[in-house]
Structure formats: structure tokens, C-alpha cells
Amino acid sequence: MAILKIARMGHPVLARKADPVPDPTAPEIRRLVADMLETMIDSDGAGLAAPQVHIPLRVVVFQAPGERSDALSQAERYDQTAPLTVLINPEIEILGTEREGGWEGCLSVPELRGFVERPVHIRYRGTDHEGHAIDRTASGFHARVVQHECDHLDGILYPQRMSDLKQLIFESEARHWLKEEGSSS
Ligand code: NI
């Protein structure tokens, strides 16, 4: 296992469409997933997509915080709603028309936070690195993290989803002015 270098906004790998994984159970995918998990945990991120570690494949990992954003510790926030998930070749279906804004951060856009409006309810499907099918519905932050990560696979970073760039701010300021900080993915 290894901690991988994270590509930052401006690197072409973050702007291209990632390729499907022909065999999610292949040994090189297992290795990639193990390294991505280690990198995500080391960076204290909520999620990570393969293009963020310079690999243009449709692989994401995430650990969605629960609905209880008032939970005191980071550990408590991360241990709910979506368990640690490896999602390969994901597909997202938007359920309903409800949208909601929330603060996002990204390990590829360090030190910033932006307010992004996204669909609240989704269904997502894919497989994990052991070949098991994943088919879940998600809402709230769980749905937000999945959408943020899957956007990476299509070359989209969260600032491109923002409608008002006045709400792109430094996280050091967010700490002072916002109740809820969100987390980076
Ligand atoms: Ni990100």
C-alpha cells in the first residue's frame, strides 16, 4: 500500500472523462483501491476518485458522513449512512426534483470551500473490487459525496457546478464564518 500524490485543479487528468474498468476484480484494481483508501484516510477526505491520483479510470471510494451534522467528532460523523464504499463503473440516477445547497471541498482544490446545489435524492449502481453489485438509494450528504466523486470521472470539479462564485471561499474563513464546514473529497 502507498499514499499517492493528489492531482490538483489544472492537471489535465482532472479534466478528461475517465475510462470504464473492464475487470473490477483485476489485481491492479485491487492495488489501486487499497492505495486510494490509504490516501483518502491519510488526507482526511470524505471521498477520492481515481483521476485525483492520476489514474483515469472509473473508480471512486468514499465514506459519507451521516445526516447528523451536529455530531461532535469527525469519527462519529463519518461512521454513518454510507459505510466505506468502493464503487467501480458507477451510474447515478437522479430521483425526484428536489435540490439542496451545501458546502463542498475537494482534495484537488485545496484550501477552498464552495456552495454547490445538487439533487437531494439519487440511486447509484456499480460494482466493488470483489465483483459484488452495489445498488443503493442515498439522500443528503451521502448523495452529495457520491455525486461529487462521480463528477470527477467526467472531468468535472465542484466549482464548475457552482451558480455563485461569491460562495467560493477559503476554508480558513469558513471556519470563522460558517456553522458547518463540510469535508473534502
Ligand atoms: Ni473532489
Side-chain angles (χ1 to χ4, degrees):
M1 300 233 294
I3 291 169
L4 305 172
K5 189 169 182 220
I6 294 175
R8 304 206 300 174
M9 184 164 63
H11 193 294
V13 74
L14 294 173
R16 60 162 283 186
K17 204 168 158 69
D19 299 322
V21 176
D23 177 7
T25 62
E28 63 269 23
I29 299 300
R30 278 170 187 267
R31 266 196 302 278
L32 171 65
V33 163
D35 289 347
M36 284 176 64
L37 290 171
E38 194 178 5
T39 303
M40 177 180 77
I41 289 160
D42 176 71
S43 320
D44 197 25
L48 190 67
Q52 291 184 277
V53 292
H54 305 86
I55 306 290
L57 290 175
R58 302 187 81 77
V59 178
V60 303
V61 297
F62 57 87
Q63 192 171 22
E67 301 304 320
R68 291 180 49 222
S69 57
D70 60 336
L72 291 178
S73 72
Q74 197 79 336
E76 199 182 346
R77 290 182 60 190
Y78 276 56
D79 188 29
Q80 299 167 60
T81 309
L84 189 60
T85 299
V86 175
L87 188 59
I88 299 171
N89 298 332
E91 281 174 47
I92 292 181
E93 183 189 336
I94 291 161
L95 304 177
T97 54
E98 198 183 339
R99 293 170 69 85
E100 174 176 83
W103 290 93
E104 298 189 15
C106 182
L107 297 172
S108 296
V109 190
E111 292 176 35
L112 293 171
R113 289 283 184 264
F115 195 76
V116 186
E117 204 179 89
R118 295 191 189 268
V120 178
H121 306 287
I122 63 167
R123 176 180 185 182
Y124 63 91
R125 279 172 272 203
T127 46
D128 69 13
H129 56 306
E130 288 167 344
H132 301 126
I134 293 172
D135 185 346
R136 292 183 189 151
T137 54
S139 300
F141 202 95
H142 181 174
R144 178 175 299 279
V145 170
V146 173
Q147 291 175 80
H148 175 118
E149 294 315 324
C150 290
D151 268 355
H152 278 296
L153 306 182
D154 291 328
I156 296 167
L157 299 174
Y158 78 79
Q160 293 162 252
R161 293 284 191 196
M162 294 180 61
S163 52
D164 180 2
L165 287 174
K166 272 188 188 167
Q167 292 177 304
L168 184 64
I169 67 175
F170 283 102
E171 64 189 358
S172 52
E173 296 300 317
R175 254 176 238 133
H176 292 303
W177 304 110
L178 299 178
K179 272 191 196 159
E180 202 184 322
E181 232 185 283
S183 39
S184 292
S185 46

